[in-house]
Amino acid sequence: MDAGFPILFADAGGSRITPSAVYYPAHGEPIIGAAALRMRALDPARTITSVKRLMGRRNVPAEEAAMFSCPLTPAADGLRLRLDETTALSPEAVSATILGRLRAIAETAMEKEITRAVITVPAYFNDAQRSATKRAGELAGLTVERILNEPTAAALAYGLDKLGERSKVAVYDLGGGTFDISILELSDGVFQVLSTAGDTRLGGDDIDRALAAHLFEQANLDENADTPEVRAKLLDAAIRAKHALSDDDAFTVSVPFLSGTDSFECVVTQAKMAALATPVIDRTRSLCQRAISDSKLELSEIDRIVLVGGSTRMPIVRKIAAEIFGQEPDISQNPDEAVALGAVIQGGILSGRTQNVILLDVTPLSLGIETFGGLMNVILPRNTTIPAKAGELFTNAVAGQEAMKIRILQGEREMARDNWELGQFEIHFDPGPKGHARVGVEFAIDANGILTVLGRDTKTQKDEILKIDNAAVDVNDEAVEAMISESIDYAFDDMNERVWTEAKMKSDELLPAVDSALAQVGELLTGEDIESVRAAADAVRAALETHDVRQLKEANQNLDQATEHMAALLVEKAMEESLKRKGIL
């Protein structure tokens, strides 16, 4: 940031763009960026591109694995890209090599050591992919201050924070390897993500391969010529053609010595490029429609659509984006640089050099309270964008209760005991029958990550407030990953226990109520009815001993049905007594 303006550094060759490509020679240092791409045609097996698609993943389908020029092999902690019999690299290690190159460019430009970074990721990246990205930064010797969603970064770069309040913006981000679409709303200087959708395996790389396959058909080569080197040369030619056809109507593809002494040349028109790219780009339509639907907005309510990612330079991409959103997209920014500019602005915000703009973090784990039976009741789900506010109304579970303990929990498990306690307080109220009290609990997280929990007795309007600084968002990555992993590993056991607990709570409520009702209106029932009710109640008691969820739920349902007539008699009796008290009967 220089005098409030974001600056991007160029490398020694004057380029502000570093392609995400690395060539690993058998001996010597890796070659990164444009120079690595030039090596792809000569030694494709040792040239790695599109590594972003592999971040945080443990396996990939065979069809997708075939897109990579070196074999992918599984490991205990994820995938490996195998260069030869002795060398296999993790996606994080390859990514760290690229980040290390960017760090070196920045250090040369600033003439000082760089140790802290903001790194952007697709909004649709899951926790494993985000964690892998952060590990890559750390491997490159950087402290990762923030993992920032690319659409939010792009919105900043486009100056969308200068739009009017309550502006709605769609960010259509089609990069080389990934696609995501986000609908954002600006409110009080805060960007809030209303919805997001995407595909981490959809991007310009797929368009490149489609054109390369077309060129291979046009070359009409024999079977022996179908080698990785030939495919790599045609892929490089396809990329050059795609770039040229973003501006020109036609481009002559020329590949000297494509196979042996045979050269190749053909003309590709913009219309042909569009025809090949359309099936790929059409895959973004359903994702955009889902994001619009999830945002609860009408198309007419979206004020602006901005395009991000180098692939959006293509006329066909701009045409389809305009069709989807019913308006011409904003192309005022360099789509290759918009996300990086937004990351610079975020860095300025974190360092205090940029004011009046707030970028939203998310809650890494769900937040809630313990409810009767030891259950976790989620109030703010994991990945809720902050600032955020949500609340629920609770009541007393037993008669005569004078207070309610509010235990604030964080985690993804169904039972309260398996989550982390952040704090607790009590709300006092007048004793009364079960369901008499009304206690409102509200969770609010501000833009600084401070969680405030408010508990209120709605009768007296008396409040209890607890503030928890940063614990809601500043959670150790390994702890978050472990919690999420456990929630998956124990998902069936946790859900079974939750369902059992809920069924048992219903049984514990039904049985005393049935005994009380029999005492009140038993004389109005036939002997057969009484026997039926008692048998159903005994079946519930027997099911409680089995810990069989299905049997208990079925017994509860049968008891409900067996007591329907008795419940009707109770209602009639209560109405009669009420009318008598009023002197009507």
PDB file of all heavy atoms in Angstrom, residues 1 169 261 359 473 532:
ATOM      1  N   MET A   1       0.857  -1.183   0.000  1.00  0.00           N
ATOM      2  CA  MET A   1       0.000   0.000   0.000  1.00  0.00           C
ATOM      3  C   MET A   1       0.896   1.237   0.000  1.00  0.00           C
ATOM      4  O   MET A   1       1.776   1.363   0.838  1.00  0.00           O
ATOM      5  CB  MET A   1      -0.908   0.016   1.236  1.00  0.00           C
ATOM      6  CG  MET A   1      -1.890  -1.139   1.305  1.00  0.00           C
ATOM      7  SD  MET A   1      -3.170  -1.091   0.039  1.00  0.00           S
ATOM      8  CE  MET A   1      -4.125   0.329   0.541  1.00  0.00           C
ATOM      9  N   VAL A 169     -23.973  -7.466  -5.177  1.00  0.00           N
ATOM     10  CA  VAL A 169     -22.978  -7.657  -6.230  1.00  0.00           C
ATOM     11  C   VAL A 169     -22.743  -9.155  -6.437  1.00  0.00           C
ATOM     12  O   VAL A 169     -22.627  -9.911  -5.474  1.00  0.00           O
ATOM     13  CB  VAL A 169     -21.642  -6.976  -5.841  1.00  0.00           C
ATOM     14  CG1 VAL A 169     -20.589  -7.201  -6.910  1.00  0.00           C
ATOM     15  CG2 VAL A 169     -21.854  -5.487  -5.610  1.00  0.00           C
ATOM     16  N   THR A 261       9.924 -34.732 -37.845  1.00  0.00           N
ATOM     17  CA  THR A 261      10.152 -33.608 -38.772  1.00  0.00           C
ATOM     18  C   THR A 261       8.851 -32.991 -39.256  1.00  0.00           C
ATOM     19  O   THR A 261       8.866 -32.007 -39.997  1.00  0.00           O
ATOM     20  CB  THR A 261      10.952 -34.096 -39.999  1.00  0.00           C
ATOM     21  OG1 THR A 261      10.230 -35.149 -40.653  1.00  0.00           O
ATOM     22  CG2 THR A 261      12.328 -34.608 -39.568  1.00  0.00           C
ATOM     23  N   LEU A 359     -13.709  -6.522   6.192  1.00  0.00           N
ATOM     24  CA  LEU A 359     -13.877  -7.788   5.491  1.00  0.00           C
ATOM     25  C   LEU A 359     -14.351  -8.831   6.490  1.00  0.00           C
ATOM     26  O   LEU A 359     -13.903  -8.858   7.628  1.00  0.00           O
ATOM     27  CB  LEU A 359     -12.555  -8.243   4.864  1.00  0.00           C
ATOM     28  CG  LEU A 359     -12.133  -7.457   3.638  1.00  0.00           C
ATOM     29  CD1 LEU A 359     -10.837  -8.032   3.097  1.00  0.00           C
ATOM     30  CD2 LEU A 359     -13.203  -7.522   2.571  1.00  0.00           C
ATOM     31  N   VAL A 473     -13.498 -17.175  16.945  1.00  0.00           N
ATOM     32  CA  VAL A 473     -12.910 -17.225  15.608  1.00  0.00           C
ATOM     33  C   VAL A 473     -11.434 -17.591  15.617  1.00  0.00           C
ATOM     34  O   VAL A 473     -10.933 -18.206  14.680  1.00  0.00           O
ATOM     35  CB  VAL A 473     -13.103 -15.889  14.848  1.00  0.00           C
ATOM     36  CG1 VAL A 473     -14.552 -15.696  14.480  1.00  0.00           C
ATOM     37  CG2 VAL A 473     -12.599 -14.709  15.651  1.00  0.00           C
ATOM     38  N   SER A 532     -55.259 -51.136  27.348  1.00  0.00           N
ATOM     39  CA  SER A 532     -54.480 -50.770  26.154  1.00  0.00           C
ATOM     40  C   SER A 532     -53.449 -49.692  26.481  1.00  0.00           C
ATOM     41  O   SER A 532     -52.288 -49.761  26.052  1.00  0.00           O
ATOM     42  CB  SER A 532     -55.427 -50.283  25.056  1.00  0.00           C
ATOM     43  OG  SER A 532     -54.706 -49.803  23.953  1.00  0.00           O
TER      44      SER A 532
END
